[in-house]
Structures are given as structure tokens and as C-alpha cells.
Amino acid sequence: MKTDLTDTTASKVNKALVQGRRAIGTPAVGMVLTLVIVTDEENAYDALKAASDAAHEHPSRTLVVIKRVSRSPRDRTQSRLDAEVRVGADAGTGETVVLRLYGEVADHAQSVVLPLLLPDAPVVVWWPVNAPLDPANDPLGALAQRRVTDTYASEQPVRDLATRSGTYTPGDTDLSWTRITPWRSMLAAALDQVACEVRAVEVEGEEFNPSCELLAMWLADRLDVPVKRSLSSGPGLTAVRMDTNCGPIKLDRADGSLATLSIEGQPDRAVALKRRETAELMAEELRRLDPDDTYASALRYGVDRLKSASSVPSVPSVPSVPKSEGRAGLALPAPAEAAAKAPAAEATAQAPVRREPPKLEPVRKATK
Amino acid sequence: MSSSNPLRDPADRRLPRIAGPSGLVIFGVTGDLSRKKLMPAVYDLANRGLLPPGFSLVGFARREWAHEDFAQEVHDAVKEHARTPFREEVWQQLIQGMRFVQGTFDDDDAFERLRSTIEELDKAQGTGGNFAFYLSVPPKSFPVVIQQLKKHQLADQTGGSWRRAVIEKPFGHDLKSAEELNKVVHEVFAPDQVFRIDHYLGKETVQNILALRFANTMFEPIWNRSLVDHVQITMAEDIGIGGRAGYYDGIGAARDVIQNHLLQLLALTAMEEPSSFDADALAAEKTKVLGAVKLPKDLGRDTVRAQYTAGWQGGTKVRGYLEEDGINASSKTDTYAAIKLEIDNRRWAGVPFYLRTGKRLGRRVTEIAVVFQRAPHSPFDSTATEELGSNAIVIRVQPDEGVTVRFGSKVPGTSMEIRDVSMDFAYGESFTESSPEAYERLILDVLLGDSNLFPRTEEVELSWKILDPIEEYWDKNGKPAQYPAGTWGPVEADEMLERHGRSWRRP
């Protein structure tokens, strides 16, 4: 059942939800959370589709907040809220409200969302695109126990990672982190099979894919060894090489689906490492709503320390020296780099990076 | 698994438990269970990324198959029955470790071939000598297979590797045979390497009984004789015995279902809080409560067995039990059994537990209903509460898994009329989509060596101690009652509860 409300308010939306439920005869449903999707018109369809697929596992009330662009000064002064309420078969499991915000109210989305949250149930905010750099202090983010960003969709993923490590608040998480769970799980399984000490690691993947950085930071954080990030043409992550005292361990995925695990002294084995759909990522993300300390710890390791590791010679092979140096040089102006290398200054060291964003883009393109 | 792995961190809860290097050998791989449950479960586990790289699956059966034929068979079974979507890359990972060994259970050559296959897999797939043997075979073949495993040193654990045996019910047909069976198995496999599959315990809802009772505060205080009137545990099937005449006749519903599934459900419902959630602590509590079970004094009055007669089941005309193919027309085997048990401890003294199971009943359902006493005093007059039944908490095990709470509520618009309403928590609305099949969980637990969800020897033997006197009594006295197929059992069962002013729930 679908109800369209034009120029409406949150309390009218609430009324429409109750009426909708009565009309289809299911007054109580076992919804376990409220999912708020903050997006623009362009990305709303895909995000909502992924969310309703994920809702099969986690029945939820989904609020899609679409901030409409005002194109004239007069538009900007007028403020309007349109809502589309879907209950029952139209909403899959749970309920969906698509909220379109015009004009001034777009800056006060939290006032619309707050009355529509399910009582008691946890709130998750997801920004498929244009996530704030400090999610916990965003007015909508502040309503949520869990804030899901996606640096993969960001213009400057590496910069965003650096900033988010400074603003990290328990409950923050990123889909780029979710994407690497199968890799992490397989690497942990590989180390289960041998009693070796890892001496150095190399993570290889496409450029502008923050999952590679996150995986590298996680490995560096857990193993306490130098980790090198190198580039390939993808898709996504392509390989992780660990140099251990009993020979190399390599997990190689050239085609984005089937990987090969090679361990010195053991036969090569094929392992399925399929790149996953957004719906699956969201389903994993919603499975646990407690703070992800492992993510925090990996993020705080500091994306800059990866680059300083690239000069460590213990891992042979790719990539060419100028490329990696170029990356190290471009990301940070000299003083900031020195500050970032001091481990104690991880969190605060990011500040200069944030102030320098315009410098990054042109240089990076040149190194491609 | 090394605990020193720096990539493992208990706080990192996204990382799933992946089994260590290992393989699974299925005996009786051409059977129904293997095709419909085991192979799909193995695939689903692989698809969820829970199997180790190099996981190997070995089939053992009489059929003349090459490895490719076996792989094709698994492929078909997976396509048809797997829960998760078919993915080529997962299949490619699995197929590398698939082998088939042709032979009969008494064929020494075949077991030698099995041994060399396992050794070959250790080299090619890195399974590290860790193998679980899943005995999906008829009970009479058990001792043969176990002995063969011993004879060909397949059960020997060398150099830190493990060998485990997985066995399916029936675990004997009475206490004596169960003890014999345990002796045979334990002679070859150490008790902690023997995993008895009771697939009910792998179900999410059954595990949820423990969560419901021990993670919450609102249920445990009322979970005792001061408020509970009685408990009904039901497992009903709508199917008949189908092609299982040979196995079923002489065994019957009580041995087939009550001895294992229902008594396990009873144990989980009635047990005290375990000191921790590990296998030993759980087994200790379950054993304690099973040991406290008391049989009714008059077995004639408080137990009922019956056979279905011809009738209409859900719109289909079906035959009676005695007319089924391969059933002796004078068979006394029960297709329905209902028994009343009591538990002699402080928590449950005087609270009857009614267990019932049957074939060709109204519909397929398994549930545990905890029925509460009526309010000791009601400020409303009797007409107001005429339609009010007893409060109840119902744990729906299958299908439509969930929990229902039933209580009275005022009917709107009337001056004061109170009627039963129910409040539902349904897994079905949400988690089923990806809640794993029982066999997935159980196979993974076997590979991980986690025996939480597997009944132990003592539990099996205690269960037989409860059932044996009843079976003996039935054997010597009278004959089964009758109920038309498609109904909720014989009138005798209704009378059994009516005598105490109670009635069966219609599940």
C-alpha cells in the first residue's frame, strides 16, 4: 500500500503509517531497527533497493531522506516536505517512507526524522554518497547508534579515511571496511594453518579504492610489521602478499571472484572471494550494532604510515619506485608528513591534510 | 588452530569462525539425507565463506561412479536444494577437493582406497589429516563401518590431527542396544570425537530457547511451578511413513521422536541455568534435568499410543497405517504417542510436561507451549472473562519459527469483555532469509570440534531410561488406539488431559 503526501509534516506521515498498517491488517510487525538513508535523488533508487534487500534479514522502518536542490532564490526561501509512505507488499518487509525535502527544511532534516523513529529500536544512518566527514556530529548522524559511510563513493577516499580517523566516534563504520571482511577472514584462516611470523606485507589493488588502504592498515595494526600499498588495475583488491619466516603466503584474486591461496610448502588452493553487492554489505553491517573496535583501531593506525612503509625493501616485486614515491609526496606537504609519522600523533596529525584538499587532485592524476 | 594468530581478535566480531584445514567423508552418500541436506549444507557453508581453503568432500558408496559423476551428483543436489544462490566460483573452490570411493562396507580394498584418497588429499589439498566421518547409513551397518575404520587405521589421530565420527539417530532402540552401540563407537573413537546429530538442536529457534530464558530477565522469574500450570511439547507431521516401512515398523513414533527430539526440547525448556555456554556445562544441566524426570504411576492412564486410519489429510485421501505397503496388518507399532512426565525438582514439582508426536496429523508443526495458571482472583465478573483462556508462551520451533505470547485483552467497544490475543515475534519475517539450516550449523560445529549442540552418551542413555518402561508397558498391555488421518490424534489423548481439566493446544 502506497500513500503520497504533499506539503506534509512528520505527524501526518506517522498517521499514514498507522493507517497503512491497519488497512493491510498487520498492526504489529517485528521491526528491529530504523534505517535512515540520506542521499540525493540520483542515488536514492539504488540505495533503497539495496536497503530493502537487506531488510529481508533485518526488518526495519526505512526512511529515505532526499534533499532536493533548490534552483532559484525563491525556491530556497520556500520550504516543503513531500512524503511517500509504503507499507506491506510495496515495502518488502517492514515500512518505507521516502521523504523529499525542499528549501530550508533540507537543513533541518533531523526535525522530520526524529518523530518517525521506531520507539526503542536502534537507529542506523547510512550515507551512500556525500557522507559528512564527521558523521557523529552531523545532525542526522547524532540521532543514530550506528553511522554507515562509504568512502568508496568518495571523491578523495584516502583523504576521507585520514579525516575520519580523527573524527572517529564509536558507532562509525564504513562500507569499504565491510567489503574486506571475506579477505580478512581468509587471511586469518591462512595464518591459522601455519605457525610463522609475518615480517612484511604488501597489499595490492586499484587506485582510489579505500578498501585496500583499510586492509593494509588492519594488517599493519594487527601484525605490527611494515605494510606496503601498491597499485594494480583492479578490479578492487587484487592481492595480498605476506612475507613470513617460513616463506611467502599469497592470496591472489585477479578476476574479482575466484582467488588462489598459496602457502609455501602447501598446495595452491582456490578460494571463492566474490565482490559483494551493496545489499549484502548492508545486511552484514546491520547484523551487529555495537561499536566496531577493530575498525577503529585499523583506521587510527593512520593511512599515512602506510606510505612511509613503502620504502621498506623486504617485499620485492611491484610497484615501480617513482610511483610510490609520487604518492607519498603528493598526499602530504612536508611538515604534515613528519607529524603524521610520529605514532602518538595519529589522530591529530590529520588536521593539515584536511586543510589541503585542493592540492591533492591534480597531482594524483599526474601519477596515474 | 593456533591461538597465537595475530589476525584473530575476540573483539573482531565480523570475522566468522572458519573451520581449520579438514575434510568430510560421507558414507551412504547416495542416500536422501546426503542429497537433500548434507551436500547442500556443505555448499552453503562454502558460499558463506566458512569452510577452510582446500576443504575436501569424499563420498563413499556402492555405486559405480567416477569422481566426475560424484561431482555432478553433488552439483545437481546443490542446485536443487541449497539455500543460498549458486555461484560458479564457490563451486570451483569445492570441486577441487571432491573425491569418490566406490565400495561396500565389508570391502577391505575399498577402505584401503579411502585411506589412500585421504592421504592424497592431505598432499593435494592440505587437509592436514583432519577428517570427519559422517555415517549416513542404516543402523545395522554402523558396527561394520566403525570396525572397518579401525581396521584400516582411518580413526587414528596422528601428529595433532583429528578424526571424528558423526552419527545420526536412531541411537539404538532401547537402553541395552544404545549401550552396545556406544561401546562399539567408543572403542574406536574417543567420546569427545563422537558427534551425535539431533538436527533439532541445530535449529536457530532451539538455540533461541536458551537465549530467551537466560539472556532476558522477564521470563525466568515466571518459569517455575508457582506460575506455570503445565507444558506441552508437540512435534506433528502431516506425512505418513512413506517408503520407510522397513525402518519404522517395530520402532514407532515414541522411539523415533520422543526419545531424542522431544526429550532434548524438554531438557532445554526445563533445565537450570548452565554456569557457562560451553559444552560441558550445558551437558551437565541437561543430564541433571533428564535424571530428574519421573514417569507417571499409572502408565495406562497417562500415556497414549495410536495408529492412523484411512482418512483425508489436507484434501488428499490417504491410507491407514495398517494398509501401508510393507506393514504387517497386525502391527502394534505406534504412529502417535503422547506421554505425561513430571520433573522431580524444586522448580517443577507437580507441573506435568505433556509430550506428543505423530504422523498424519493436522499439519507439520513443532512447538513448545508453556501454559500458565489462571489468575488466582479476577476483579471482572465471569461473563467478562468467559472467552479468556490461560496465558501462554509458545516457542514455535518449525515452521514459521518464532515466539508467541498469548494473553487477555479488552475487546474494544464492549463495556468489559476480555478475549485472548497473541503477540508475535516471528523469525519468519526477518531472519529466515539467511538463517542457516540446522545441518550447516552442525557440520561446521563438527569441523570446529564444538560439541555444544550434540547430545552426549549420558543424555542418550538417560532418555532411553525414561522411555523403556513405557515401551515395555505398551508391549504387554492392550493395543494402539486409532485416529483418522488428518486429525489431531485419538480421543484417548484428549481424555488424558481432560481428566486434569486441561486440553491440548491446537498448534
Side-chain angles (χ1 to χ4, degrees), chain A residues 189-211:
Chain A
L191 284 196
D192 280 339
Q193 306 200 355
V194 291
C196 303
E197 202 183 309
V198 181
R199 292 189 295 226
V201 182
E202 181 183 342
V203 176
E204 183 196 277
E206 64 187 5
E207 207 178 358
F208 304 118
N209 188 335
S211 292

PDB file of all heavy atoms in Angstrom, chain A residues 189-211:
ATOM      1  N   ALA A 189      42.436 -17.158   8.275  1.00  0.00           N
ATOM      2  CA  ALA A 189      42.419 -18.616   8.120  1.00  0.00           C
ATOM      3  C   ALA A 189      43.764 -19.113   7.606  1.00  0.00           C
ATOM      4  O   ALA A 189      44.239 -20.169   8.009  1.00  0.00           O
ATOM      5  CB  ALA A 189      41.295 -19.036   7.182  1.00  0.00           C
ATOM      6  N   ALA A 190      44.391 -18.331   6.708  1.00  0.00           N
ATOM      7  CA  ALA A 190      45.691 -18.739   6.179  1.00  0.00           C
ATOM      8  C   ALA A 190      46.731 -18.779   7.295  1.00  0.00           C
ATOM      9  O   ALA A 190      47.528 -19.708   7.381  1.00  0.00           O
ATOM     10  CB  ALA A 190      46.135 -17.781   5.076  1.00  0.00           C
ATOM     11  N   LEU A 191      46.690 -17.796   8.178  1.00  0.00           N
ATOM     12  CA  LEU A 191      47.660 -17.792   9.280  1.00  0.00           C
ATOM     13  C   LEU A 191      47.334 -18.853  10.329  1.00  0.00           C
ATOM     14  O   LEU A 191      48.190 -19.241  11.110  1.00  0.00           O
ATOM     15  CB  LEU A 191      47.735 -16.415   9.935  1.00  0.00           C
ATOM     16  CG  LEU A 191      48.499 -15.340   9.164  1.00  0.00           C
ATOM     17  CD1 LEU A 191      48.843 -14.178  10.070  1.00  0.00           C
ATOM     18  CD2 LEU A 191      49.780 -15.883   8.531  1.00  0.00           C
ATOM     19  N   ASP A 192      46.057 -19.317  10.343  1.00  0.00           N
ATOM     20  CA  ASP A 192      45.722 -20.438  11.234  1.00  0.00           C
ATOM     21  C   ASP A 192      46.479 -21.695  10.841  1.00  0.00           C
ATOM     22  O   ASP A 192      46.715 -22.574  11.649  1.00  0.00           O
ATOM     23  CB  ASP A 192      44.221 -20.753  11.148  1.00  0.00           C
ATOM     24  CG  ASP A 192      43.388 -19.799  11.974  1.00  0.00           C
ATOM     25  OD1 ASP A 192      43.955 -19.190  12.893  1.00  0.00           O
ATOM     26  OD2 ASP A 192      42.179 -19.684  11.705  1.00  0.00           O
ATOM     27  N   GLN A 193      46.794 -21.781   9.546  1.00  0.00           N
ATOM     28  CA  GLN A 193      47.344 -23.036   9.039  1.00  0.00           C
ATOM     29  C   GLN A 193      48.850 -23.150   9.209  1.00  0.00           C
ATOM     30  O   GLN A 193      49.404 -24.206   8.979  1.00  0.00           O
ATOM     31  CB  GLN A 193      47.005 -23.179   7.558  1.00  0.00           C
ATOM     32  CG  GLN A 193      45.515 -23.027   7.320  1.00  0.00           C
ATOM     33  CD  GLN A 193      45.071 -23.624   6.012  1.00  0.00           C
ATOM     34  OE1 GLN A 193      45.874 -24.086   5.227  1.00  0.00           O
ATOM     35  NE2 GLN A 193      43.775 -23.647   5.809  1.00  0.00           N
ATOM     36  N   VAL A 194      49.487 -22.057   9.518  1.00  0.00           N
ATOM     37  CA  VAL A 194      50.941 -22.130   9.666  1.00  0.00           C
ATOM     38  C   VAL A 194      51.332 -21.455  10.975  1.00  0.00           C
ATOM     39  O   VAL A 194      50.612 -20.610  11.486  1.00  0.00           O
ATOM     40  CB  VAL A 194      51.655 -21.397   8.500  1.00  0.00           C
ATOM     41  CG1 VAL A 194      51.469 -22.144   7.201  1.00  0.00           C
ATOM     42  CG2 VAL A 194      51.149 -19.979   8.367  1.00  0.00           C
ATOM     43  N   ALA A 195      52.466 -21.845  11.506  1.00  0.00           N
ATOM     44  CA  ALA A 195      52.955 -21.161  12.701  1.00  0.00           C
ATOM     45  C   ALA A 195      54.160 -20.336  12.293  1.00  0.00           C
ATOM     46  O   ALA A 195      55.291 -20.673  12.600  1.00  0.00           O
ATOM     47  CB  ALA A 195      53.320 -22.185  13.766  1.00  0.00           C
ATOM     48  N   CYS A 196      53.926 -19.295  11.538  1.00  0.00           N
ATOM     49  CA  CYS A 196      55.027 -18.487  11.021  1.00  0.00           C
ATOM     50  C   CYS A 196      54.889 -17.064  11.527  1.00  0.00           C
ATOM     51  O   CYS A 196      53.813 -16.611  11.862  1.00  0.00           O
ATOM     52  CB  CYS A 196      55.012 -18.452   9.500  1.00  0.00           C
ATOM     53  SG  CYS A 196      55.078 -20.061   8.756  1.00  0.00           S
ATOM     54  N   GLU A 197      55.991 -16.376  11.493  1.00  0.00           N
ATOM     55  CA  GLU A 197      55.963 -14.984  11.886  1.00  0.00           C
ATOM     56  C   GLU A 197      55.982 -14.129  10.625  1.00  0.00           C
ATOM     57  O   GLU A 197      56.826 -14.323   9.752  1.00  0.00           O
ATOM     58  CB  GLU A 197      57.180 -14.692  12.741  1.00  0.00           C
ATOM     59  CG  GLU A 197      57.002 -13.474  13.611  1.00  0.00           C
ATOM     60  CD  GLU A 197      58.277 -13.207  14.382  1.00  0.00           C
ATOM     61  OE1 GLU A 197      58.791 -14.163  15.021  1.00  0.00           O
ATOM     62  OE2 GLU A 197      58.768 -12.080  14.304  1.00  0.00           O
ATOM     63  N   VAL A 198      55.041 -13.201  10.542  1.00  0.00           N
ATOM     64  CA  VAL A 198      54.986 -12.354   9.355  1.00  0.00           C
ATOM     65  C   VAL A 198      55.998 -11.226   9.518  1.00  0.00           C
ATOM     66  O   VAL A 198      56.100 -10.612  10.580  1.00  0.00           O
ATOM     67  CB  VAL A 198      53.563 -11.785   9.184  1.00  0.00           C
ATOM     68  CG1 VAL A 198      53.499 -10.914   7.941  1.00  0.00           C
ATOM     69  CG2 VAL A 198      52.549 -12.913   9.102  1.00  0.00           C
ATOM     70  N   ARG A 199      56.767 -10.971   8.439  1.00  0.00           N
ATOM     71  CA  ARG A 199      57.795  -9.929   8.528  1.00  0.00           C
ATOM     72  C   ARG A 199      57.424  -8.673   7.749  1.00  0.00           C
ATOM     73  O   ARG A 199      57.797  -7.576   8.125  1.00  0.00           O
ATOM     74  CB  ARG A 199      59.127 -10.479   8.021  1.00  0.00           C
ATOM     75  CG  ARG A 199      59.689 -11.539   8.959  1.00  0.00           C
ATOM     76  CD  ARG A 199      61.084 -11.912   8.578  1.00  0.00           C
ATOM     77  NE  ARG A 199      61.127 -12.543   7.273  1.00  0.00           N
ATOM     78  CZ  ARG A 199      61.809 -13.659   7.006  1.00  0.00           C
ATOM     79  NH1 ARG A 199      62.504 -14.237   7.955  1.00  0.00           N
ATOM     80  NH2 ARG A 199      61.807 -14.172   5.800  1.00  0.00           N
ATOM     81  N   ALA A 200      56.702  -8.858   6.652  1.00  0.00           N
ATOM     82  CA  ALA A 200      56.282  -7.705   5.872  1.00  0.00           C
ATOM     83  C   ALA A 200      55.088  -8.098   5.025  1.00  0.00           C
ATOM     84  O   ALA A 200      54.882  -9.275   4.736  1.00  0.00           O
ATOM     85  CB  ALA A 200      57.424  -7.220   4.978  1.00  0.00           C
ATOM     86  N   VAL A 201      54.301  -7.092   4.656  1.00  0.00           N
ATOM     87  CA  VAL A 201      53.086  -7.365   3.893  1.00  0.00           C
ATOM     88  C   VAL A 201      52.976  -6.361   2.757  1.00  0.00           C
ATOM     89  O   VAL A 201      53.392  -5.212   2.892  1.00  0.00           O
ATOM     90  CB  VAL A 201      51.833  -7.254   4.798  1.00  0.00           C
ATOM     91  CG1 VAL A 201      50.579  -7.595   4.014  1.00  0.00           C
ATOM     92  CG2 VAL A 201      51.952  -8.135   6.021  1.00  0.00           C
ATOM     93  N   GLU A 202      52.398  -6.842   1.664  1.00  0.00           N
ATOM     94  CA  GLU A 202      52.093  -5.925   0.584  1.00  0.00           C
ATOM     95  C   GLU A 202      50.637  -6.109   0.177  1.00  0.00           C
ATOM     96  O   GLU A 202      50.173  -7.238   0.000  1.00  0.00           O
ATOM     97  CB  GLU A 202      53.001  -6.206  -0.612  1.00  0.00           C
ATOM     98  CG  GLU A 202      52.730  -5.262  -1.763  1.00  0.00           C
ATOM     99  CD  GLU A 202      53.585  -5.605  -2.984  1.00  0.00           C
ATOM    100  OE1 GLU A 202      54.592  -6.322  -2.816  1.00  0.00           O
ATOM    101  OE2 GLU A 202      53.228  -5.163  -4.076  1.00  0.00           O
ATOM    102  N   VAL A 203      49.914  -5.029   0.078  1.00  0.00           N
ATOM    103  CA  VAL A 203      48.513  -5.076  -0.336  1.00  0.00           C
ATOM    104  C   VAL A 203      48.402  -4.400  -1.688  1.00  0.00           C
ATOM    105  O   VAL A 203      48.810  -3.248  -1.846  1.00  0.00           O
ATOM    106  CB  VAL A 203      47.602  -4.360   0.678  1.00  0.00           C
ATOM    107  CG1 VAL A 203      46.164  -4.323   0.178  1.00  0.00           C
ATOM    108  CG2 VAL A 203      47.675  -5.046   2.032  1.00  0.00           C
ATOM    109  N   GLU A 204      47.843  -5.136  -2.650  1.00  0.00           N
ATOM    110  CA  GLU A 204      47.796  -4.599  -4.000  1.00  0.00           C
ATOM    111  C   GLU A 204      46.346  -4.463  -4.456  1.00  0.00           C
ATOM    112  O   GLU A 204      45.537  -5.375  -4.268  1.00  0.00           O
ATOM    113  CB  GLU A 204      48.543  -5.559  -4.924  1.00  0.00           C
ATOM    114  CG  GLU A 204      48.636  -5.100  -6.349  1.00  0.00           C
ATOM    115  CD  GLU A 204      49.031  -6.268  -7.247  1.00  0.00           C
ATOM    116  OE1 GLU A 204      50.242  -6.554  -7.344  1.00  0.00           O
ATOM    117  OE2 GLU A 204      48.145  -6.899  -7.839  1.00  0.00           O
ATOM    118  N   GLY A 205      46.030  -3.332  -5.033  1.00  0.00           N
ATOM    119  CA  GLY A 205      44.668  -3.145  -5.518  1.00  0.00           C
ATOM    120  C   GLY A 205      44.560  -1.883  -6.328  1.00  0.00           C
ATOM    121  O   GLY A 205      45.526  -1.132  -6.462  1.00  0.00           O
ATOM    122  N   GLU A 206      43.355  -1.640  -6.854  1.00  0.00           N
ATOM    123  CA  GLU A 206      43.196  -0.490  -7.737  1.00  0.00           C
ATOM    124  C   GLU A 206      43.314   0.809  -6.944  1.00  0.00           C
ATOM    125  O   GLU A 206      43.123   0.843  -5.732  1.00  0.00           O
ATOM    126  CB  GLU A 206      41.853  -0.562  -8.467  1.00  0.00           C
ATOM    127  CG  GLU A 206      40.673  -0.478  -7.534  1.00  0.00           C
ATOM    128  CD  GLU A 206      39.348  -0.729  -8.239  1.00  0.00           C
ATOM    129  OE1 GLU A 206      39.356  -1.065  -9.431  1.00  0.00           O
ATOM    130  OE2 GLU A 206      38.322  -0.583  -7.585  1.00  0.00           O
ATOM    131  N   GLU A 207      43.602   1.869  -7.683  1.00  0.00           N
ATOM    132  CA  GLU A 207      43.733   3.162  -7.046  1.00  0.00           C
ATOM    133  C   GLU A 207      42.348   3.665  -6.634  1.00  0.00           C
ATOM    134  O   GLU A 207      41.338   3.215  -7.150  1.00  0.00           O
ATOM    135  CB  GLU A 207      44.384   4.127  -8.039  1.00  0.00           C
ATOM    136  CG  GLU A 207      45.132   5.238  -7.359  1.00  0.00           C
ATOM    137  CD  GLU A 207      45.817   6.148  -8.371  1.00  0.00           C
ATOM    138  OE1 GLU A 207      45.728   5.859  -9.573  1.00  0.00           O
ATOM    139  OE2 GLU A 207      46.411   7.139  -7.948  1.00  0.00           O
ATOM    140  N   PHE A 208      42.304   4.603  -5.758  1.00  0.00           N
ATOM    141  CA  PHE A 208      41.049   5.187  -5.277  1.00  0.00           C
ATOM    142  C   PHE A 208      40.118   4.135  -4.703  1.00  0.00           C
ATOM    143  O   PHE A 208      38.916   4.257  -4.797  1.00  0.00           O
ATOM    144  CB  PHE A 208      40.324   5.949  -6.401  1.00  0.00           C
ATOM    145  CG  PHE A 208      41.169   7.010  -7.014  1.00  0.00           C
ATOM    146  CD1 PHE A 208      41.517   6.951  -8.353  1.00  0.00           C
ATOM    147  CD2 PHE A 208      41.654   8.048  -6.244  1.00  0.00           C
ATOM    148  CE1 PHE A 208      42.320   7.919  -8.915  1.00  0.00           C
ATOM    149  CE2 PHE A 208      42.459   9.031  -6.813  1.00  0.00           C
ATOM    150  CZ  PHE A 208      42.798   8.964  -8.155  1.00  0.00           C
ATOM    151  N   ASN A 209      40.668   3.043  -4.206  1.00  0.00           N
ATOM    152  CA  ASN A 209      39.821   2.059  -3.549  1.00  0.00           C
ATOM    153  C   ASN A 209      40.240   1.980  -2.088  1.00  0.00           C
ATOM    154  O   ASN A 209      41.210   1.329  -1.743  1.00  0.00           O
ATOM    155  CB  ASN A 209      39.951   0.688  -4.220  1.00  0.00           C
ATOM    156  CG  ASN A 209      38.938  -0.285  -3.674  1.00  0.00           C
ATOM    157  OD1 ASN A 209      38.474  -0.135  -2.537  1.00  0.00           O
ATOM    158  ND2 ASN A 209      38.571  -1.278  -4.458  1.00  0.00           N
ATOM    159  N   PRO A 210      39.497   2.641  -1.218  1.00  0.00           N
ATOM    160  CA  PRO A 210      39.927   2.746   0.174  1.00  0.00           C
ATOM    161  C   PRO A 210      39.946   1.400   0.893  1.00  0.00           C
ATOM    162  O   PRO A 210      40.576   1.274   1.945  1.00  0.00           O
ATOM    163  CB  PRO A 210      38.880   3.673   0.793  1.00  0.00           C
ATOM    164  CG  PRO A 210      37.703   3.602  -0.103  1.00  0.00           C
ATOM    165  CD  PRO A 210      38.223   3.334  -1.475  1.00  0.00           C
ATOM    166  N   SER A 211      39.282   0.382   0.330  1.00  0.00           N
ATOM    167  CA  SER A 211      39.328  -0.941   0.959  1.00  0.00           C
ATOM    168  C   SER A 211      40.758  -1.430   1.053  1.00  0.00           C
ATOM    169  O   SER A 211      41.145  -2.091   2.018  1.00  0.00           O
ATOM    170  CB  SER A 211      38.496  -1.933   0.157  1.00  0.00           C
ATOM    171  OG  SER A 211      37.139  -1.618   0.253  1.00  0.00           O
TER     172      SER A 211
END
